[in-house]
């Protein structure tokens, strides 16, 4: 009888603890959703008010956040800012005279370094990034030269990801970026060239 009571007591404790953990997880998820919702609303507001500094601070800091804000999923549909991705991303890249170049490049790098190409917002982000690398390679070289080769290679992978093997526009983009980077830093030139060749053999 004592053994049965002991098993019953242990079972009750287990299920009680398990329920508390699930409640806590549920509360944390709800809290995180509220934080994201608030940030999304403030991001929209700062864009509407042409408050770039606030917009920049609220803009996603990582690739995963970028997807959570601006992405599209075939199963779950649009993310909260999907309908605004074009205006928001183009606005984000108009940073000059509003945010220090090093700080801006650092944020872009954090989004791009583990990124994977996709259509819509990600493609537009990649396109803006490519143009910026061609016109201002130094702001990224300052970051890349301090990073491990593997991480720098991941960044270059994102820059060229998403095209077909015979895409002439991508090859033209590669030539421009390679010439721009290689003239300033041979190591980064080699890393990006090697990655491009692996991707499009």
């Amino acid at each position: 009888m004592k053994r049965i009571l002991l098993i019953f007591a242990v079972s009750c404790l287990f299920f009680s603890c398990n329920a508390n953990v699930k409640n806590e997880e549920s509360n944390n998820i709800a809290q995180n959703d509220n934080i994201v919702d608030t940030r999304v609303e403030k991001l929209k507001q700062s864009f509407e008010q042409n408050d770039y500094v606030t917009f920049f601070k609220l803009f996603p800091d990582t690739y995963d956040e970028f997807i959570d804000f601006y992405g599209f999923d075939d199963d779950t549909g649009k993310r909260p800012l999907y309908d605004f991705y074009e205006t928001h991303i183009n606005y984000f890249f108009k940073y000059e005279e509003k945010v220090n170049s090093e700080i801006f490049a650092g944020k872009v790098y954090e989004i791009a370094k583990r990124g994977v190409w996709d259509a819509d917002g990600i493609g537009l982000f990649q396109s803006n990034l490519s143009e910026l690398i061609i016109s201002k390679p130094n702001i990224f070289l300052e970051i890349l030269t301090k990073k491990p080769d593997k991480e720098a290679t991941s960044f270059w992978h994102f820059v060229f990801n998403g095209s077909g093997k015979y895409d002439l526009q991508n090859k033209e983009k590669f030539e421009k970026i390679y010439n721009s980077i290689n003239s300033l830093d041979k190591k980064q030139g080699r890393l990006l060239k090697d990655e491009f060749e692996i991707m499009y053999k």
Side-chain angles (χ1 to χ4, degrees):
M1 184 72 176
K2 285 182 181 178
R3 178 180 263 175
I4 292 170
L5 284 172
L6 183 62
I7 291 169
F8 179 74
V10 168
S11 297
C12 286
L13 265 173
F14 173 78
F15 288 117
S16 172
C17 288
N18 201 19
N20 286 339
V21 167
K22 284 186 178 176
N23 282 340
E24 195 173 310
E25 284 174 2
S26 182
N27 288 340
N28 286 342
I29 289 167
Q31 198 172 20
N32 286 341
D33 286 347
N34 287 339
I35 290 166
V36 169
D37 289 346
T38 302
R39 190 168 161 198
V40 162
E41 286 309 311
K42 287 183 177 177
L43 192 58
K44 279 164 63 177
Q45 211 171 50
S46 60
F47 173 78
E48 288 161 10
Q49 294 168 354
N50 198 25
D51 178 359
Y52 184 88
V53 173
T54 302
F55 179 87
F56 178 80
K57 285 177 186 170
L58 295 168
F59 195 83
D61 294 310
T62 64
Y63 178 78
D64 289 339
E65 278 187 1
F66 185 84
I67 297 298
D68 287 344
F69 282 41
Y70 294 102
F72 183 91
D73 184 273
D74 289 334
D75 296 326
T76 57
K78 299 175 183 179
R79 295 296 191 257
L81 293 172
Y82 174 81
D83 289 334
F84 303 92
Y85 79 80
E86 190 170 354
T87 52
H88 281 202
I89 293 166
N90 287 332
Y91 181 66
F92 173 72
F93 275 90
K94 294 186 185 339
Y95 72 95
E96 291 178 289
E97 298 173 18
K98 296 163 192 157
V99 172
N100 174 287
S101 290
E102 288 174 25
I103 293 169
F104 178 79
K107 187 158 187 148
V108 171
Y109 177 80
E110 288 302 316
I111 294 169
K113 72 179 179 184
R114 288 189 184 89
V116 178
W117 182 88
D118 202 349
D120 304 330
I122 300 164
L124 182 61
F125 186 90
Q126 182 199 56
S127 178
N128 275 284
L129 168 59
S130 298
E131 287 175 26
L132 188 58
I133 293 168
I134 292 164
S135 63
K136 297 186 178 176
N138 278 322
I139 65 173
F140 291 102
L141 283 174
E142 286 178 29
I143 295 168
L144 290 162
T145 54
K146 296 171 190 158
K147 301 295 181 186
D149 290 358
K150 190 175 180 180
E151 200 174 291
T153 298
S154 175
F155 173 81
W156 292 122
H157 183 91
F158 175 74
V159 171
F160 299 111
N161 188 222
S163 294
K165 187 174 181 178
Y166 302 106
D167 184 339
L168 294 177
Q169 284 183 319
N170 197 38
K171 288 184 178 179
E172 189 179 313
K173 178 174 83 169
F174 163 75
E175 290 295 334
K176 286 181 182 175
I177 291 175
Y178 175 72
N179 290 335
S180 183
I181 293 294
N182 195 55
S183 65
L184 299 167
D185 189 302
K186 299 293 181 199
K187 181 181 177 183
Q188 288 303 317
R190 178 180 50 78
L191 286 175
L192 79 86
K193 186 178 182 184
D194 288 350
E195 185 60 20
F196 184 84
E197 287 174 353
I198 289 166
M199 291 167 76
Y200 299 106
K201 275 182 181 175

